[in-house]
Amino acid sequence: MPTKILVTGGLGYIGSHTVVELQNAGYEIVIVDDLSNSNINVLDGIEKITSVRPIFEQINCTNLDALKNVFEKYVGIKGIIHFAASKAVGESIEKPLLYYRNNLVSLINLLDLMPAYEVEGFVFSSSATVYGQPPIENLPVTENSPIQLAQSPYANTKQIAEEIVHDAVAARMPIKTILLRYFNPIGAHKSAEIGELPLGIPQNLLPYLVQVAVGIRPELSVYGNDYNTPDGSCIRDYIDVIYLAKAHVSAIERIISNKQKNKLECFNLGTGKGISVLEMITAFENATGAKIPYKIVGRRTGDIEQIWADSTLANDLLGWHAETPLEDTLKSAYAWAKKINIKNN
């Protein structure tokens, strides 16, 4: 029988791409998602790509009883990949209690239930925001780089969540965990059947940029051109969402096959290359032929000046590499955006 994996937030952007990669690898998937930041139609996209429709339960992970029912109904879950969380930096500054409730209570509920249902494997969706703004001399960041003061409630929930997982393992709970610290996921599945579906005004660069490219929004706002970077705009490490998804397959396989050296491991997932906002605009225009009107506006609260990853540990221990050229990733994002725009018009 195929190994059964619970994926929370599995209809979201990263979650849906990970479900595709897990099903292609032969896993049986149970998705839990409350659809607060996702769309039920994503199930159709997953099925079109993999020819398998994953099990789906519409549940908020802060509801402990509802989660219990999932474990009772789908006996034999061997691992959990936990994506379900509120994730926008700007929104977290405006609604901090929402973020602390959603992101921490959901995690505690899952960890609380795992021993009762003999679920040993846990992969947690963390973030490069736990590093705060690293000193220039600490770039690129490794997993041993200092954890800096969180720049937003969202980032703080990721720091606290990692501490909760660490304490649970230290308390000798019978669980094996891997923390995956993402840098900036971009792109879409090459089939254009699934991709990023931000509700309302996008909070991240690329989804906003592609909406400008297809005419949904008139122009892109660049938040600051006076940072201490070569062109004055913020620098990030952008990783193709497909290869980010593949890292989760590698992580769950590492846990299930007992290859972990420790019961808690942590990996950075990035390309090792920093790209500025202005460089990304130029790269997108060159890759797609679309023109992106933009304006420089003031800095945005909570933004980090520059950060990029050292992913050597993931390369060596997970056997994982971010391989997709940036041009191909940008083309996939544009193809997805054009398809969605046609559907909505």
Side-chain angles (χ1 to χ4, degrees), residues 165-173:
V165 174
H166 181 276
D167 289 345
V169 172
R172 300 185 184 278
M173 285 182 63

Side-chain angles (χ1 to χ4, degrees), residues 165-238:
V165 174
H166 181 276
D167 289 345
V169 172
R172 300 185 184 278
M173 285 182 63
I175 59 175
K176 295 177 287 186
T177 67
I178 290 180
L179 310 176
L180 297 179
R181 292 175 178 164
Y182 312 157
F183 283 68
N184 291 66
I186 58 172
H189 195 271
K190 62 183 180 180
S191 67
E193 293 293 345
I194 57 173
E196 191 163 11
L197 276 172
L199 301 180
I201 300 173
Q203 298 292 310
N204 297 323
L205 173 60
L206 197 64
Y208 202 114
L209 190 154
V210 296
Q211 288 193 5
V212 172
V214 298
I216 296 174
R217 308 208 178 266
E219 63 183 358
L220 174 72
S221 293
V222 176
Y223 294 102
N225 66 344
D226 57 351
Y227 286 98
N228 184 28
T229 61
D231 64 18
S233 65
C234 291
I235 292 175
R236 297 288 184 272
D237 188 337
Y238 294 95

Side-chain angles (χ1 to χ4, degrees), residues 14-61:
I14 304 172
S16 60
H17 288 82
T18 300
V19 169
V20 165
E21 297 303 321
L22 287 165
Q23 290 193 162
N24 285 341
Y27 290 94
E28 180 182 357
I29 305 304
V30 178
I31 294 174
V32 165
D33 197 306
D34 69 356
L35 301 181
S36 62
N37 195 33
S38 56
N39 191 302
I40 190 63
N41 294 329
V42 174
L43 272 176
D44 298 331
I46 294 171
E47 185 176 14
K48 286 178 181 178
I49 295 169
T50 66
S51 300
V52 176
R53 193 173 186 86
I55 298 165
F56 171 69
E57 296 284 347
Q58 186 174 346
I59 287 171
N60 187 303
C61 291

Side-chain angles (χ1 to χ4, degrees), residues 5 14-15 23 57 68 94 98 125 136-137 158 176 189 213 217 219 229 232-233 239 249 265 276-277 279 286 317 327:
I5 304 296
I14 304 172
Q23 290 193 162
E57 296 284 347
K68 284 182 180 177
E94 298 171 358
L98 169 69
S125 166
I136 298 298
E137 61 269 22
K158 292 300 184 181
K176 295 177 287 186
H189 195 271
R217 308 208 178 266
E219 63 183 358
T229 61
S233 65
I239 177 175
V249 179
E265 294 180 331
S276 76
V277 174
E279 286 175 331
N286 290 340
L317 298 186
E327 179 181 2

Side-chain angles (χ1 to χ4, degrees), residues 50-127:
T50 66
S51 300
V52 176
R53 193 173 186 86
I55 298 165
F56 171 69
E57 296 284 347
Q58 186 174 346
I59 287 171
N60 187 303
C61 291
T62 62
N63 186 330
L64 182 61
D65 290 336
L67 274 180
K68 284 182 180 177
N69 291 337
V70 170
F71 287 103
E72 295 284 351
K73 186 175 180 180
Y74 304 104
V75 177
I77 292 171
K78 296 298 183 184
I80 298 170
I81 301 180
H82 183 40
F83 293 106
S86 301
K87 62 176 187 176
V89 169
E91 184 185 49
S92 77
I93 293 170
E94 298 171 358
K95 303 176 182 178
L97 297 184
L98 169 69
Y99 274 67
Y100 287 115
R101 182 180 300 110
N102 286 353
N103 295 6
L104 299 180
V105 174
S106 60
L107 171 67
I108 292 168
N109 284 346
L110 289 166
L111 293 175
D112 198 31
L113 291 171
M114 285 179 66
Y117 294 94
E118 299 181 341
V119 183
E120 291 188 7
F122 188 75
V123 177
F124 178 64
S125 166
S126 192
S127 168

